Short mmCIF file of all heavy atoms in Angstrom, two decimals:
data_model
loop_
_atom_site.label_atom_id
_atom_site.label_comp_id
_atom_site.label_asym_id
_atom_site.label_seq_id
_atom_site.Cartn_x
_atom_site.Cartn_y
_atom_site.Cartn_z
N MET A 1 141.79 126.83 120.52
CA MET A 1 141.51 125.47 119.92
C MET A 1 140.95 124.56 121.01
O MET A 1 141.72 124.11 121.85
CB MET A 1 142.77 124.96 119.25
CG MET A 1 142.61 123.74 118.43
SD MET A 1 141.68 123.93 116.90
CE MET A 1 143.04 124.41 115.75
N SER A 2 139.75 124.20 120.81
CA SER A 2 139.13 123.19 121.82
C SER A 2 138.51 122.08 121.05
O SER A 2 137.86 122.28 120.08
CB SER A 2 138.15 123.96 122.65
OG SER A 2 137.47 123.06 123.42
N ASP A 3 138.75 120.91 121.65
CA ASP A 3 138.19 119.72 120.96
C ASP A 3 136.97 119.11 121.79
O ASP A 3 136.55 118.03 121.63
CB ASP A 3 139.26 118.57 120.83
CG ASP A 3 140.31 118.97 119.91
OD1 ASP A 3 140.08 119.70 118.88
OD2 ASP A 3 141.38 118.50 120.07
N ALA A 4 136.48 120.03 122.73
CA ALA A 4 135.46 119.58 123.63
C ALA A 4 134.12 119.31 122.90
O ALA A 4 133.35 118.37 123.26
CB ALA A 4 135.24 120.56 124.79
N THR A 5 133.84 120.14 121.89
CA THR A 5 132.60 119.91 121.17
C THR A 5 132.73 118.82 120.06
O THR A 5 133.52 119.03 119.23
CB THR A 5 132.16 121.25 120.48
OG1 THR A 5 133.21 121.76 119.77
CG2 THR A 5 131.74 122.32 121.51
N ALA A 6 131.93 117.81 120.30
CA ALA A 6 132.00 116.69 119.38
C ALA A 6 130.98 116.70 118.26
O ALA A 6 130.85 115.77 117.50
CB ALA A 6 131.95 115.37 120.11
N VAL A 7 130.15 117.86 118.30
CA VAL A 7 129.09 117.91 117.25
C VAL A 7 129.72 118.33 115.92
O VAL A 7 130.35 119.37 115.82
CB VAL A 7 128.04 118.97 117.72
CG1 VAL A 7 126.94 119.06 116.64
CG2 VAL A 7 127.47 118.54 119.08
N PRO A 8 129.50 117.46 114.93
CA PRO A 8 130.07 117.87 113.56
C PRO A 8 129.38 119.10 113.01
O PRO A 8 128.16 119.22 113.26
CB PRO A 8 129.75 116.56 112.77
CG PRO A 8 129.35 115.58 113.63
CD PRO A 8 128.79 116.28 114.90
N SER A 9 130.07 119.96 112.32
CA SER A 9 129.40 121.03 111.68
C SER A 9 128.48 120.64 110.64
O SER A 9 128.82 119.75 109.79
CB SER A 9 130.51 122.00 111.07
OG SER A 9 131.30 121.35 110.14
N GLY A 10 127.38 121.20 110.64
CA GLY A 10 126.37 120.74 109.61
C GLY A 10 125.15 119.95 110.24
O GLY A 10 124.07 119.95 109.78
N GLU A 11 125.51 119.23 111.33
CA GLU A 11 124.46 118.53 112.10
C GLU A 11 124.17 119.10 113.45
O GLU A 11 123.70 118.46 114.28
CB GLU A 11 124.94 117.01 112.30
CG GLU A 11 124.92 116.27 111.01
CD GLU A 11 125.22 114.77 111.23
OE1 GLU A 11 124.92 114.25 112.32
OE2 GLU A 11 125.82 114.09 110.36
N ALA A 12 124.67 120.37 113.60
CA ALA A 12 124.45 121.05 114.90
C ALA A 12 122.94 121.21 115.32
O ALA A 12 122.64 121.10 116.46
CB ALA A 12 125.16 122.37 114.89
N GLY A 13 122.18 121.38 114.32
CA GLY A 13 120.72 121.68 114.63
C GLY A 13 119.96 120.42 114.75
O GLY A 13 118.81 120.48 115.36
N THR A 14 120.42 119.25 114.36
CA THR A 14 119.66 118.00 114.44
C THR A 14 120.23 117.09 115.49
O THR A 14 121.00 116.17 115.20
CB THR A 14 119.65 117.28 113.02
OG1 THR A 14 121.04 117.08 112.65
CG2 THR A 14 119.03 118.16 111.97
N LEU A 15 119.86 117.38 116.77
CA LEU A 15 120.29 116.52 117.79
C LEU A 15 119.27 115.47 118.05
O LEU A 15 118.20 115.72 118.63
CB LEU A 15 120.56 117.37 119.03
CG LEU A 15 121.92 118.09 119.09
CD1 LEU A 15 121.96 119.08 120.25
CD2 LEU A 15 123.05 117.19 119.05
N HIS A 16 119.53 114.29 117.67
CA HIS A 16 118.65 113.19 118.01
C HIS A 16 119.45 111.92 118.37
O HIS A 16 120.58 111.87 117.95
CB HIS A 16 117.74 112.92 116.78
CG HIS A 16 118.53 112.61 115.54
ND1 HIS A 16 119.08 111.47 115.20
CD2 HIS A 16 118.84 113.46 114.47
CE1 HIS A 16 119.76 111.55 114.08
NE2 HIS A 16 119.60 112.75 113.63
N PRO A 17 118.82 111.08 119.15
CA PRO A 17 119.57 109.85 119.50
C PRO A 17 119.84 108.99 118.27
O PRO A 17 119.11 109.04 117.31
CB PRO A 17 118.66 109.05 120.46
CG PRO A 17 117.36 109.64 120.20
CD PRO A 17 117.57 111.04 119.75
N PRO A 18 121.00 108.29 118.28
CA PRO A 18 121.35 107.47 117.08
C PRO A 18 120.24 106.35 116.95
O PRO A 18 119.85 105.70 117.86
CB PRO A 18 122.71 106.85 117.51
CG PRO A 18 122.75 106.99 118.91
CD PRO A 18 122.01 108.27 119.33
N ALA A 19 119.87 106.21 115.70
CA ALA A 19 118.88 105.18 115.34
C ALA A 19 119.52 103.77 115.52
O ALA A 19 120.48 103.53 114.92
CB ALA A 19 118.38 105.43 114.00
N ILE A 20 118.91 103.00 116.46
CA ILE A 20 119.26 101.60 116.66
C ILE A 20 118.22 100.69 116.07
O ILE A 20 117.12 100.69 116.59
CB ILE A 20 119.50 101.34 118.11
CG1 ILE A 20 120.60 102.31 118.71
CG2 ILE A 20 119.95 99.88 118.23
CD1 ILE A 20 120.69 102.17 120.22
N SER A 21 118.58 99.99 115.03
CA SER A 21 117.57 99.18 114.41
C SER A 21 117.40 97.84 115.22
O SER A 21 118.34 97.38 115.95
CB SER A 21 118.03 98.78 112.94
OG SER A 21 119.21 97.96 112.95
N LEU A 22 116.28 97.12 115.17
CA LEU A 22 116.02 95.99 115.90
C LEU A 22 116.97 94.89 115.43
O LEU A 22 117.40 94.07 116.30
CB LEU A 22 114.58 95.54 115.65
CG LEU A 22 114.08 94.54 116.60
CD1 LEU A 22 113.89 95.12 118.07
CD2 LEU A 22 112.70 94.03 116.16
N ARG A 23 117.38 94.89 114.20
CA ARG A 23 118.33 93.96 113.65
C ARG A 23 119.63 93.99 114.38
O ARG A 23 120.36 92.94 114.56
CB ARG A 23 118.42 94.13 112.14
CG ARG A 23 119.07 93.06 111.37
CD ARG A 23 119.31 93.40 109.99
NE ARG A 23 118.06 93.60 109.22
CZ ARG A 23 117.42 92.54 108.57
NH1 ARG A 23 118.12 91.34 108.47
NH2 ARG A 23 116.37 92.72 107.98
N GLU A 24 120.04 95.23 114.80
CA GLU A 24 121.35 95.39 115.46
C GLU A 24 121.23 95.18 116.95
O GLU A 24 122.16 94.86 117.57
CB GLU A 24 121.88 96.78 115.14
CG GLU A 24 122.32 96.99 113.73
CD GLU A 24 122.77 98.43 113.45
OE1 GLU A 24 123.00 99.10 114.40
OE2 GLU A 24 122.79 98.83 112.34
N ALA A 25 120.01 95.41 117.52
CA ALA A 25 119.89 95.45 118.99
C ALA A 25 119.59 94.11 119.51
O ALA A 25 119.88 93.82 120.65
CB ALA A 25 118.86 96.47 119.30
N TRP A 26 118.95 93.16 118.83
CA TRP A 26 118.41 91.94 119.38
C TRP A 26 119.51 91.04 120.01
O TRP A 26 119.24 90.38 120.98
CB TRP A 26 117.42 91.25 118.55
CG TRP A 26 118.12 90.35 117.44
CD1 TRP A 26 118.36 90.74 116.05
CD2 TRP A 26 118.68 89.03 117.52
NE1 TRP A 26 118.94 89.77 115.43
CE2 TRP A 26 119.15 88.71 116.29
CE3 TRP A 26 118.79 88.11 118.56
CZ2 TRP A 26 119.77 87.48 116.03
CZ3 TRP A 26 119.37 86.89 118.34
CH2 TRP A 26 119.81 86.57 117.04
N PRO A 27 120.73 90.95 119.32
CA PRO A 27 121.66 90.08 120.04
C PRO A 27 122.11 90.65 121.40
O PRO A 27 122.35 89.92 122.34
CB PRO A 27 122.86 90.14 119.05
CG PRO A 27 122.35 90.61 117.74
CD PRO A 27 121.20 91.49 118.12
N TRP A 28 122.15 92.00 121.58
CA TRP A 28 122.48 92.61 122.86
C TRP A 28 121.37 92.43 123.74
O TRP A 28 121.66 92.27 125.02
CB TRP A 28 122.76 94.17 122.63
CG TRP A 28 123.98 94.30 121.75
CD1 TRP A 28 124.01 94.67 120.43
CD2 TRP A 28 125.40 94.07 122.08
NE1 TRP A 28 125.34 94.76 120.02
CE2 TRP A 28 126.15 94.37 120.90
CE3 TRP A 28 126.03 93.72 123.27
CZ2 TRP A 28 127.56 94.18 120.98
CZ3 TRP A 28 127.36 93.58 123.32
CH2 TRP A 28 128.15 93.86 122.21
N THR A 29 120.15 92.46 123.39
CA THR A 29 118.97 92.24 124.23
C THR A 29 119.04 90.80 124.81
O THR A 29 118.91 90.53 125.91
CB THR A 29 117.72 92.39 123.48
OG1 THR A 29 117.77 93.69 122.83
CG2 THR A 29 116.58 92.32 124.36
N LEU A 30 119.41 89.90 123.85
CA LEU A 30 119.52 88.44 124.25
C LEU A 30 120.71 88.26 125.22
O LEU A 30 120.52 87.61 126.27
CB LEU A 30 119.87 87.61 122.95
CG LEU A 30 119.42 86.13 123.08
CD1 LEU A 30 117.94 85.99 123.15
CD2 LEU A 30 119.99 85.43 121.87
N PHE A 31 121.86 89.00 124.95
CA PHE A 31 123.01 88.86 125.81
C PHE A 31 122.70 89.47 127.18
O PHE A 31 123.01 88.86 128.25
CB PHE A 31 124.15 89.66 125.13
CG PHE A 31 125.41 89.72 125.95
CD1 PHE A 31 126.15 88.56 126.06
CD2 PHE A 31 125.88 90.93 126.50
CE1 PHE A 31 127.32 88.65 126.86
CE2 PHE A 31 127.01 90.90 127.24
CZ PHE A 31 127.76 89.86 127.48
N GLY A 32 122.00 90.63 127.21
CA GLY A 32 121.70 91.25 128.47
C GLY A 32 120.72 90.39 129.31
O GLY A 32 120.84 90.27 130.49
N GLY A 33 119.80 89.73 128.61
CA GLY A 33 118.85 88.89 129.30
C GLY A 33 119.56 87.69 129.81
O GLY A 33 119.30 87.21 130.99
N ALA A 34 120.48 87.07 129.05
CA ALA A 34 121.13 85.83 129.52
C ALA A 34 122.00 86.26 130.76
O ALA A 34 122.19 85.55 131.72
CB ALA A 34 122.06 85.40 128.43
N LEU A 35 122.62 87.48 130.64
CA LEU A 35 123.53 87.88 131.77
C LEU A 35 122.68 88.13 133.06
O LEU A 35 123.14 87.77 134.08
CB LEU A 35 124.15 89.22 131.35
CG LEU A 35 125.50 89.58 131.95
CD1 LEU A 35 126.52 88.56 131.54
CD2 LEU A 35 125.92 90.98 131.67
N LEU A 36 121.46 88.69 132.91
CA LEU A 36 120.64 88.96 134.04
C LEU A 36 120.18 87.61 134.59
O LEU A 36 120.16 87.42 135.81
CB LEU A 36 119.37 89.74 133.61
CG LEU A 36 119.63 91.26 133.58
CD1 LEU A 36 118.35 91.91 132.92
CD2 LEU A 36 119.88 91.85 134.91
N LEU A 37 119.89 86.69 133.82
CA LEU A 37 119.45 85.34 134.24
C LEU A 37 120.55 84.67 134.97
O LEU A 37 120.33 84.11 136.10
CB LEU A 37 118.99 84.56 133.01
CG LEU A 37 118.48 83.11 133.33
CD1 LEU A 37 117.12 83.26 134.11
CD2 LEU A 37 118.30 82.30 132.08
N LEU A 38 121.69 84.77 134.42
CA LEU A 38 122.95 84.10 135.00
C LEU A 38 123.23 84.79 136.40
O LEU A 38 123.49 84.07 137.36
CB LEU A 38 124.11 84.27 134.11
CG LEU A 38 125.30 83.44 134.42
CD1 LEU A 38 125.00 81.94 134.10
CD2 LEU A 38 126.57 83.88 133.72
N THR A 39 123.04 86.10 136.40
CA THR A 39 123.34 86.92 137.71
C THR A 39 122.29 86.43 138.71
O THR A 39 122.62 86.19 139.93
CB THR A 39 123.22 88.36 137.44
OG1 THR A 39 124.11 88.78 136.41
CG2 THR A 39 123.52 89.12 138.69
N TYR A 40 121.04 86.27 138.30
CA TYR A 40 120.04 85.77 139.23
C TYR A 40 120.32 84.38 139.68
O TYR A 40 120.28 84.19 140.91
CB TYR A 40 118.64 85.91 138.54
CG TYR A 40 117.56 85.22 139.32
CD1 TYR A 40 117.10 85.81 140.48
CD2 TYR A 40 117.02 83.95 138.95
CE1 TYR A 40 116.06 85.19 141.32
CE2 TYR A 40 116.04 83.36 139.73
CZ TYR A 40 115.58 84.02 140.90
OH TYR A 40 114.66 83.37 141.63
N LEU A 41 120.65 83.50 138.81
CA LEU A 41 120.82 82.11 139.17
C LEU A 41 121.97 81.94 140.14
O LEU A 41 121.91 81.17 141.05
CB LEU A 41 121.03 81.26 137.94
CG LEU A 41 119.81 81.08 137.05
CD1 LEU A 41 120.16 80.33 135.73
CD2 LEU A 41 118.66 80.32 137.75
N VAL A 42 123.07 82.72 139.73
CA VAL A 42 124.35 82.55 140.62
C VAL A 42 124.17 83.29 141.87
O VAL A 42 124.55 82.81 142.95
CB VAL A 42 125.54 82.93 139.74
CG1 VAL A 42 126.76 83.02 140.57
CG2 VAL A 42 125.74 82.11 138.55
N GLY A 43 123.63 84.55 141.78
CA GLY A 43 123.66 85.37 142.96
C GLY A 43 122.55 85.16 143.94
O GLY A 43 122.76 85.26 145.08
N PHE A 44 121.33 84.85 143.43
CA PHE A 44 120.12 84.76 144.35
C PHE A 44 119.64 83.37 144.40
O PHE A 44 119.13 82.90 145.47
CB PHE A 44 119.10 85.67 143.86
CG PHE A 44 119.55 87.16 143.77
CD1 PHE A 44 119.87 87.65 142.56
CD2 PHE A 44 119.69 87.91 144.91
CE1 PHE A 44 120.31 89.01 142.43
CE2 PHE A 44 120.11 89.24 144.84
CZ PHE A 44 120.47 89.77 143.62
N GLY A 45 119.71 82.63 143.24
CA GLY A 45 119.09 81.23 143.27
C GLY A 45 119.92 80.30 143.94
O GLY A 45 119.30 79.33 144.60
N GLU A 46 121.22 80.38 143.98
CA GLU A 46 122.08 79.44 144.64
C GLU A 46 121.80 77.97 144.18
O GLU A 46 121.80 77.07 145.01
CB GLU A 46 122.00 79.54 146.13
CG GLU A 46 122.57 80.96 146.69
CD GLU A 46 122.35 81.10 148.19
OE1 GLU A 46 121.65 80.31 148.74
OE2 GLU A 46 122.86 82.10 148.67
N GLY A 47 121.58 77.83 142.93
CA GLY A 47 121.45 76.48 142.40
C GLY A 47 119.97 76.01 142.40
O GLY A 47 119.62 75.20 141.50
N ALA A 48 119.23 76.36 143.37
CA ALA A 48 117.78 75.84 143.49
C ALA A 48 117.00 76.39 142.35
O ALA A 48 116.21 75.65 141.80
CB ALA A 48 117.19 76.36 144.82
N ALA A 49 117.24 77.71 141.99
CA ALA A 49 116.54 78.25 140.83
C ALA A 49 116.83 77.50 139.53
O ALA A 49 115.92 77.25 138.73
CB ALA A 49 116.79 79.69 140.67
N LEU A 50 118.15 77.15 139.35
CA LEU A 50 118.56 76.46 138.19
C LEU A 50 117.90 75.11 138.13
O LEU A 50 117.44 74.64 137.14
CB LEU A 50 120.05 76.37 138.21
CG LEU A 50 120.72 75.69 136.94
CD1 LEU A 50 120.46 76.56 135.71
CD2 LEU A 50 122.19 75.50 137.19
N HIS A 51 117.80 74.39 139.29
CA HIS A 51 117.16 73.11 139.37
C HIS A 51 115.68 73.22 138.98
O HIS A 51 115.27 72.35 138.17
CB HIS A 51 117.35 72.54 140.78
CG HIS A 51 116.64 71.33 140.97
ND1 HIS A 51 117.16 70.02 140.64
CD2 HIS A 51 115.35 71.05 141.53
CE1 HIS A 51 116.20 69.09 140.94
NE2 HIS A 51 115.22 69.69 141.36
N GLU A 52 114.97 74.30 139.50
CA GLU A 52 113.57 74.40 139.23
C GLU A 52 113.43 74.75 137.77
O GLU A 52 112.46 74.25 137.14
CB GLU A 52 113.06 75.61 140.05
CG GLU A 52 112.92 75.28 141.51
CD GLU A 52 111.95 74.15 141.81
OE1 GLU A 52 110.91 74.11 141.14
OE2 GLU A 52 112.25 73.24 142.58
N TRP A 53 114.38 75.47 137.18
CA TRP A 53 114.23 75.86 135.78
C TRP A 53 114.34 74.64 134.84
O TRP A 53 113.65 74.37 133.88
CB TRP A 53 115.38 76.91 135.40
CG TRP A 53 115.23 77.45 134.03
CD1 TRP A 53 114.26 78.30 133.60
CD2 TRP A 53 116.24 77.33 133.01
NE1 TRP A 53 114.56 78.55 132.28
CE2 TRP A 53 115.72 78.04 131.89
CE3 TRP A 53 117.49 76.62 132.93
CZ2 TRP A 53 116.38 78.08 130.72
CZ3 TRP A 53 118.16 76.75 131.73
CH2 TRP A 53 117.64 77.45 130.62
N VAL A 54 115.32 73.75 135.18
CA VAL A 54 115.55 72.51 134.46
C VAL A 54 114.41 71.65 134.66
O VAL A 54 113.84 70.97 133.77
CB VAL A 54 116.83 71.87 134.87
CG1 VAL A 54 116.96 70.45 134.25
CG2 VAL A 54 118.08 72.65 134.52
N HIS A 55 113.84 71.58 135.92
CA HIS A 55 112.63 70.72 136.22
C HIS A 55 111.40 71.23 135.35
O HIS A 55 110.69 70.46 134.83
CB HIS A 55 112.39 70.93 137.70
CG HIS A 55 111.29 70.02 138.19
ND1 HIS A 55 110.90 70.01 139.56
CD2 HIS A 55 110.60 69.04 137.61
CE1 HIS A 55 109.90 69.13 139.65
NE2 HIS A 55 109.75 68.46 138.58
N ASP A 56 111.24 72.59 135.29
CA ASP A 56 110.14 73.15 134.52
C ASP A 56 110.29 72.77 133.08
O ASP A 56 109.34 72.47 132.33
CB ASP A 56 110.05 74.61 134.77
CG ASP A 56 109.53 74.98 136.13
OD1 ASP A 56 109.11 74.06 136.77
OD2 ASP A 56 109.60 76.15 136.45
N GLY A 57 111.50 72.87 132.59
CA GLY A 57 111.74 72.52 131.20
C GLY A 57 111.50 71.07 130.90
O GLY A 57 111.00 70.73 129.87
N ARG A 58 111.71 70.27 131.91
CA ARG A 58 111.44 68.79 131.75
C ARG A 58 109.92 68.59 131.58
O ARG A 58 109.43 67.78 130.80
CB ARG A 58 112.00 68.05 132.99
CG ARG A 58 112.18 66.58 132.75
CD ARG A 58 113.26 65.98 133.64
NE ARG A 58 112.97 66.36 135.07
CZ ARG A 58 113.95 66.37 135.93
NH1 ARG A 58 115.16 66.16 135.64
NH2 ARG A 58 113.70 66.71 137.20
N HIS A 59 109.19 69.34 132.44
CA HIS A 59 107.73 69.17 132.41
C HIS A 59 107.23 69.71 131.06
O HIS A 59 106.25 69.20 130.43
CB HIS A 59 107.09 69.99 133.56
CG HIS A 59 106.99 69.13 134.79
ND1 HIS A 59 105.96 68.23 134.99
CD2 HIS A 59 107.84 69.07 135.84
CE1 HIS A 59 106.21 67.75 136.21
NE2 HIS A 59 107.31 68.18 136.76
N LEU A 60 107.88 70.85 130.55
CA LEU A 60 107.41 71.47 129.32
C LEU A 60 107.63 70.55 128.18
O LEU A 60 106.88 70.54 127.23
CB LEU A 60 108.30 72.71 129.12
CG LEU A 60 107.71 73.77 128.16
CD1 LEU A 60 106.46 74.47 128.78
CD2 LEU A 60 108.79 74.83 127.89
N LEU A 61 108.68 69.62 128.25
CA LEU A 61 108.90 68.77 127.15
C LEU A 61 108.08 67.51 127.32
O LEU A 61 108.17 66.58 126.49
CB LEU A 61 110.42 68.45 127.11
CG LEU A 61 111.37 69.61 126.68
CD1 LEU A 61 112.74 69.23 127.02
CD2 LEU A 61 111.14 70.00 125.25
N GLY A 62 107.39 67.34 128.44
CA GLY A 62 106.42 66.18 128.57
C GLY A 62 107.11 65.03 129.32
O GLY A 62 106.57 63.86 129.27
N PHE A 63 108.31 65.16 129.92
CA PHE A 63 108.87 64.08 130.66
C PHE A 63 108.20 63.89 132.03
O PHE A 63 108.10 64.84 132.75
CB PHE A 63 110.41 64.39 130.95
CG PHE A 63 111.23 64.13 129.73
CD1 PHE A 63 111.53 65.17 128.73
CD2 PHE A 63 111.85 62.83 129.48
CE1 PHE A 63 112.25 64.89 127.64
CE2 PHE A 63 112.57 62.61 128.34
CZ PHE A 63 112.81 63.67 127.45
N PRO A 64 107.73 62.75 132.35
CA PRO A 64 107.13 62.55 133.59
C PRO A 64 108.24 62.35 134.67
O PRO A 64 109.13 61.60 134.42
CB PRO A 64 106.34 61.18 133.44
CG PRO A 64 107.01 60.50 132.32
CD PRO A 64 107.63 61.57 131.47
N CYS A 65 108.06 63.02 135.76
CA CYS A 65 109.15 62.79 136.85
C CYS A 65 108.58 62.76 138.19
O CYS A 65 109.28 62.29 139.13
CB CYS A 65 110.17 64.03 136.73
SG CYS A 65 109.50 65.62 137.13
N HIS A 66 107.36 63.03 138.42
CA HIS A 66 106.78 62.86 139.70
C HIS A 66 105.20 62.80 139.59
O HIS A 66 104.74 63.05 138.62
CB HIS A 66 107.26 63.89 140.76
CG HIS A 66 106.88 65.26 140.37
ND1 HIS A 66 105.68 65.90 140.59
CD2 HIS A 66 107.68 66.18 139.73
CE1 HIS A 66 105.70 67.12 140.14
NE2 HIS A 66 106.90 67.35 139.62
ZN1 LIG B 101 108.33 67.40 138.04
#
């Protein structure tokens, strides 16, 4: 008696990756992107990148600053 094989009987011949719909995946894509951005800002940017990002956002919204 072995429980090592997790393939259900009847689906043994159809080995394919589980279908992930875009509707289910996009929050994780967003989460992953935000996590990467946060990692970059905290780990490599050291605040300067965050400042530049906010600054760029200010320009994008049409605020004159310099
Ligand atoms: Zn500016």
Side-chain angles (χ1 to χ4, degrees):
M1 189 70 87
S2 175
D3 294 329
T5 51
V7 180
S9 60
E11 290 186 29
T14 56
L15 282 174
H16 53 80
I20 302 169
S21 66
L22 195 67
R23 192 184 293 268
E24 290 175 18
W26 78 262
W28 294 104
T29 308
L30 204 69
F31 178 71
L35 207 67
L36 278 172
L37 184 67
L38 195 71
T39 305
Y40 170 72
L41 290 175
V42 173
F44 304 100
E46 293 175 352
L50 184 64
H51 175 83
E52 289 298 317
W53 187 63
V54 172
H55 187 183
D56 288 350
R58 201 155 51 205
H59 277 277
L60 200 71
L61 292 170
F63 282 88
C65 65
H66 57 84

